[in-house]
Amino acid sequence: MDFAHSERTLALIDRLNRFMRDEVRPAEQTYASELGGSADWRQWRQPAAMEALKASAKQAGLWNLFLPDAEFGAGLSNVDYAPLAEIMGHSFIASEAFNCSAPDTGNMEVLLRYASAEQKAAWLMPLLAGEMRSAFCMTEPDVASSDATNMQATAVIDGDHVVLDGRKWWSTGIGHPHCRFVIFMGLSAPDAAPHARHSMVICPLDAPGVKIERMLSVFHGYDEPSGHGEISFSNVRLPGDHVIRGAGRGFENAQGRLGPGRIHHCMRAIGMAERALALLCERATKRKAFGKTLIELGGNADIVADLRMAIEQARLLTLKAAWLIDTQGVKAAMSEISQIKVIAPMVAQKAADAAMQIHGGAGVSDDFPLATLFAYARVLRLADGPDEVHRGVIAKLEIKAQQRTRAGT
Ligand SMILES: Cc1cc2nc3c(=O)[nH]c(=O)nc-3n(C[C@H](O)[C@H](O)[C@H](O)COP(=O)(O)OP(=O)(O)OC[C@H]3O[C@@H](n4cnc5c(N)ncnc54)[C@H](O)[C@@H]3O)c2cc1C
């Protein structure tokens, strides 16, 4: 395994760190002040601070870094991109500034790999340019969606059209003022094999029959201006050329967005853990109680040491998964991808929790980003598959591997 940063990555790390220090961090407060704070998503506006950051990042060549394709993206491997995603994880507004935020990144990867030339021109190019945003609609309120084969919403092929019906929720990004389309997953062939039943369809948000019913709250907030929505699709009739790669290929297409997307989430989670630990250390070494700094009290130094060890382990495991994807493909990395999807959010949650504790009452207020970090890490243990589902994958692969070892194959 070789996790050494290439010359190019080292240069990008340096430029990204400087951009974070000089432009992103200083813009955080302005960005927050430009959010309206309304629970009504129709009032949400894109903060001007974000558009300014995006323009500046694009000009600096810090744009679409997530995309391994050299023609449309930065052409970085997963190992190369991992430290950059970690740096972005230090700020909630960084990913969008560099056009590297979910769910657009996953949608761009799917469109780049599988979309037709016309679909690319209409939907991929504006996403790559940061001119529009998108959502991904798989999860449904009425079925346990951690088992994706449960999906009930339909995408029925009717002559040269496709008709969408059903209800989706937790569609992240649907409330963003720039969101123009969703990638909808729906049942097309109920009698086919379980993984050949569903299709992926590009559905413009203004298509007749699409209705955003509400935004869901996450720990009392709405994640303005992106939001997570519940949407109904009622007899939404679209030209057949909106299906990606043909009917029944939804699950095949979905594989394209899974592996690398999870690496991105995990590296950002590690960045979040680093930020929480940095805040913890700063507070614990400055503030005094009972005649000593907080770090000298009780087991607080052990907490710092334990977090440092946990973060290092999570980072190395994530890099291993990234390296496996780069060298042997997503399939060979399935266990490691699931391992980091369990580990990285858990470490970030633990770090945020410990940092909140050291900050006392201030830790749970919005004077520090810790409560937001905590909520974000907690949510990551559900989004993109709950921990238990990933543990199931790890155990299944482990048993198979052990059986192969015993059989000497
Ligand atoms: C903030 C946020 C953003 C999201 N963004 C998106 C998005 O953009 N697009 C999208 O389509 N979805 C999105 N999701 C949905 C997310 O992927 C689902 O919530 C997740 O897959 C779980 O599905 P579910 O909510 O139906 O839970 P269920 O399937 O009902 O599962 C509930 C619980 O059952 C248990 N469980 C399930 N399977 C197993 C198992 N095999 N072994 C043991 N226990 C198990 C787990 O405890 C699990 O948490 C988002 C979710 C959140 C919270």
Side-chain angles (χ1 to χ4, degrees), residues 134-150:
S134 62
F136 184 67
C137 294
M138 187 154 101
T139 304
E140 300 178 7
D142 296 333
V143 294
S145 299
S146 45
D147 176 358
T149 61
N150 275 345

Side-chain angles (χ1 to χ4, degrees), residues 41-42 137 141 164-171 174-175 182 184 203-215 228-236:
W41 60 274
R42 293 171 197 84
C137 294
L164 314 184
D165 276 287
R167 191 170 276 253
K168 300 285 184 178
W169 74 346
W170 290 113
S171 303
I174 200 82
V182 310
F184 173 99
C203 177
L205 213 49
D206 60 2
V210 178
K211 184 172 178 216
I212 300 177
E213 301 286 347
R214 62 169 175 149
M215 288 297 148
H228 312 276
E230 179 167 347
I231 314 155
S232 59
F233 297 81
S234 312
N235 196 27
V236 179

